[in-house]
Amino acid sequence: IIPLNFDEYLNLDEETKDNKPTTLKEEIKVEYKPSVNIIKDVENKVKEENISTIEKPVYKEEKIVEEVKVEKKKLPYLEYIGQLSGTYLLFQNEEGLYLVDQHAAQERINYEYYFNVLANPPKESIPLLIPFNIELKKEEALMLTNNLKVLEEVGLILEPSGVNSFFVREIPVWIKASSPEVMIEKIIYFLLERNEFNIATLRDSLAKQMACKASIKANHFVSKEEVSVLMKDLDLCFNPYNCPHGRPVFVKITNYEIEKMFKRVV
C-alpha cells in the first residue's frame, strides 16, 4: 500500500476517502486460546501439589511517619505591655504581671551562646577594612607575642605594629557585638590578666565576661520588635530564669498580690 500525504488526502472526494487506506495501521486483535493439553497439564499440577486455591499476595501499605521534634516552651504565654524606666519589660497574662530585666535576659542569651561556641570555636575570621591598634605594657606585649598562634586558632589575627602595640587584622566570625573592637579588647585583657590563653579552661568565665559586655544596658529603649526577638531567644535557653551571675530574669506579681495591695481582698 502506498500511503498518501496529507495534501493528497484533502483533495480526495468523500467516497474515495472512505475506501482509501490511511497511514494508520489497524490494530489486529488476536484472541489467545490455550490448547487442551496445556489446560490438562495445569490441572494435573494443581492436583499433585494439593493446591485448592491460589492465594493472592497481600500487600501491606507502608506508612512513613516523620518524627517531628516539638520544642517545649519554657516560658508561659506573655503579652507585652510596655517598658518601665528603660530597664524592665512589662508583660501580663491571666496569672498576673511579669517584670523582665532586659539586661539580665540578654545576658543569659549571650552567655549560653558564647559558652557553647567556645567549646569548639570556629577558626574562620572576618578581615577588617580598617584594622585597629591595641597598646600594651611591655610584659603584656611579650605575653601576647608568645600566644599569637593560639589566638589564630580561634579566628583572632593580630600583627605587631610597634614595640608594645598590635594591629587587629581579623576578628572571629563567632563574635556578636555592635562594637567588635571593644569586645576584642576585653577578650585580650581578660586573657592577659589571668596569664592563661587556653580558651577551653577559661570557657565559663570568658563567656560571662563577653555576655555582659554585649548585652542591652539599663536605661535603653527597646522596640516592640526587639522585645519579640529577645523573648523568642530567651525561650530557647537552657535556663531562661537567671542571668549567668545568678540574678533573676523574671519577677512575677500575681493578680491576688495586686488586688491585696489595693485592699480588694484580705
Side-chain angles (χ1 to χ4, degrees), residues 136-185:
L136 300 172
K137 296 177 182 178
K138 185 177 180 179
E139 300 79 12
E140 294 174 336
L142 180 61
M143 191 188 307
L144 189 60
T145 301
N146 294 333
N147 289 280
L148 290 179
K149 290 293 181 183
V150 179
L151 294 178
E152 285 183 19
E153 290 297 310
V154 296
L156 183 55
I157 313 298
L158 288 88
E159 177 186 295
S161 60
V163 180
N164 299 322
S165 60
F166 296 84
F167 277 132
V168 178
R169 295 285 184 186
E170 300 180 28
I171 63 173
V173 294
W174 44 267
I175 291 290
K176 293 198 309 182
S178 55
S179 301
E181 297 86 1
V182 175
M183 180 71 79
I184 294 300
E185 287 185 6

Side-chain angles (χ1 to χ4, degrees), residues 128-263:
L128 297 176
L129 292 175
I130 304 176
F132 62 93
N133 197 55
I134 295 180
E135 292 282 345
L136 300 172
K137 296 177 182 178
K138 185 177 180 179
E139 300 79 12
E140 294 174 336
L142 180 61
M143 191 188 307
L144 189 60
T145 301
N146 294 333
N147 289 280
L148 290 179
K149 290 293 181 183
V150 179
L151 294 178
E152 285 183 19
E153 290 297 310
V154 296
L156 183 55
I157 313 298
L158 288 88
E159 177 186 295
S161 60
V163 180
N164 299 322
S165 60
F166 296 84
F167 277 132
V168 178
R169 295 285 184 186
E170 300 180 28
I171 63 173
V173 294
W174 44 267
I175 291 290
K176 293 198 309 182
S178 55
S179 301
E181 297 86 1
V182 175
M183 180 71 79
I184 294 300
E185 287 185 6
K186 294 293 181 184
I187 293 173
I188 291 173
Y189 285 120
F190 177 87
L191 298 174
L192 289 171
E193 285 172 8
R194 286 155 182 77
N195 194 15
E196 175 66 70
F197 281 76
N198 188 329
I199 299 296
T201 304
L202 300 172
R203 178 183 171 196
D204 180 64
S205 299
L206 184 56
K208 288 177 181 176
Q209 176 83 2
M210 296 170 71
C212 183
K213 300 305 176 187
S215 299
I216 307 169
K217 300 298 183 285
N219 300 313
H220 177 81
F221 172 75
V222 183
S223 69
K224 191 173 182 179
E225 291 73 21
E226 289 174 314
V227 171
S228 178
V229 173
L230 181 72
M231 297 306 290
K232 284 179 182 177
D233 291 343
L234 185 64
D235 195 42
L236 295 174
C237 288
F238 178 76
N239 173 19
Y241 308 108
N242 298 93
C243 81
H245 306 291
R247 293 194 302 107
V249 173
F250 287 86
V251 171
K252 176 184 176 183
I253 305 174
T254 65
N255 287 328
Y256 175 78
E257 290 171 320
I258 294 172
E259 290 182 344
K260 194 172 181 181
M261 291 176 192
F262 288 97
K263 301 189 183 297

